[in-house]
Amino acid sequence: KLNFLSLQNDKNNKDRKLFFEIGFGSGDIIYKQAKLNPDNIYIGVEYYRKGITQLIEKIENDNIKNVKILHGDARKILVDIPNEIFDEIWLFFPDPWPKRRHEKRRFIQLDMIDELSSKIKKNGKLLISSDDKNYIAWTLSLFFMNNSFDWIAKNPDDWRHPSNNYFGSRYEKKGIKSEREPYFLKFRKI
């Protein structure tokens, strides 16, 4: 278990940015970001042990010290995290649960938007990506019902292209191979 309060209050971390990835899969994105930005702190949560094992192997092979790994359901873990701690939260290619009867299983729900907002610092970002058009429409409709975030999109290129230093995921590459276009939603906490 990670002590977020000591992480937050540690004077050595005062100027370090704190990133949180929900469902990191095999850990490619968090690993590459941590390697590229050793002054930042990256925390990832993953439910599946195989992905955790893959990420541990990567960070141990490169002796990366700025990654913390949590195992479990992100919904339950978020409840125990202090408010306004993260500079960014990432949710890249979550399960879209495409069947209508499974919509309640989707990670993004109205109450989850409030929970995520409470964990992000003012002007911090929430990045969400998917190659499922229905999931993107669902996500946007819920964010438009909430006034905790601004959608950072001035034109279509803003949601067609990822943020700087984004490396892509295995799921994204699989979708592109199947001719599914990825979408990248970027929100800023108000």
Side-chain angles (χ1 to χ4, degrees):
K1 190 164 180 168
L2 185 59
N3 186 334
F4 284 94
L5 284 176
S6 68
L7 188 66
Q8 186 177 31
N9 296 331
D10 185 338
K11 291 177 185 170
N12 295 325
N13 296 332
K14 183 180 171 218
D15 296 324
R16 299 174 85 182
K17 288 188 175 182
L18 190 57
F19 296 84
F20 188 65
E21 185 174 8
I22 297 169
F24 58 74
S26 61
D28 291 337
I29 296 169
I30 197 169
Y31 159 74
K32 289 175 183 173
Q33 286 289 347
K35 189 173 180 179
L36 186 67
N37 302 290
D39 291 334
N40 294 334
I41 300 171
Y42 296 88
I43 300 169
V45 60
E46 177 57 54
Y47 186 79
Y48 296 103
R49 292 180 193 273
K50 182 178 179 186
I52 291 171
T53 304
Q54 291 171 326
L55 179 56
I56 289 171
E57 186 176 311
K58 290 173 194 166
I59 63 177
E60 284 181 351
N61 286 342
D62 284 341
N63 198 29
I64 293 174
K65 303 289 185 196
N66 59 333
V67 175
K68 313 287 183 207
I69 300 171
L70 300 170
H71 172 251
D73 183 340
R75 291 173 188 88
K76 294 176 182 174
I77 289 171
L78 277 166
V79 173
D80 295 327
I81 295 175
N83 289 341
E84 298 188 348
I85 190 169
F86 297 117
D87 293 279
E88 286 186 12
I89 294 179
W90 307 333
L91 181 63
F92 298 134
F93 296 89
D95 190 331
W97 293 102
K99 294 180 183 171
R100 188 164 195 83
R101 69 178 183 263
H102 294 150
E103 286 178 350
K104 63 184 176 286
R105 295 182 185 176
R106 291 178 176 171
F107 189 81
I108 295 296
Q109 303 287 340
L110 281 173
D111 61 335
M112 182 51 63
I113 294 171
D114 290 333
E115 187 69 33
L116 293 168
S117 172
S118 73
K119 305 307 175 187
I120 299 173
K121 296 175 183 175
K122 185 176 180 175
N123 294 316
K125 291 181 184 171
L126 173 60
L127 308 179
I128 302 171
S129 59
S130 179
D131 58 10
D132 186 288
K133 287 180 183 180
N134 290 328
Y135 188 82
I136 290 296
W138 163 275
T139 300
L140 282 172
S141 70
L142 294 179
F143 272 87
F144 290 149
M145 287 187 251
N146 183 293
N147 45 356
S148 299
F149 290 95
D150 275 335
W151 182 27
I152 310 168
K154 293 184 174 87
N155 60 58
D157 277 347
D158 291 334
W159 47 265
R160 287 187 182 132
H161 301 290
S163 296
N164 295 340
N165 296 326
Y166 172 79
F167 297 102
S169 75
R170 188 176 50 159
Y171 295 105
E172 178 185 358
K173 290 172 185 135
K174 193 190 268 187
I176 290 169
K177 233 179 182 177
S178 300
E179 299 182 0
R180 290 191 310 269
E181 183 179 358
Y183 301 94
F184 303 92
L185 304 179
K186 303 160 196 98
F187 300 95
R188 182 178 53 248
K189 182 179 171 183
I190 301 172

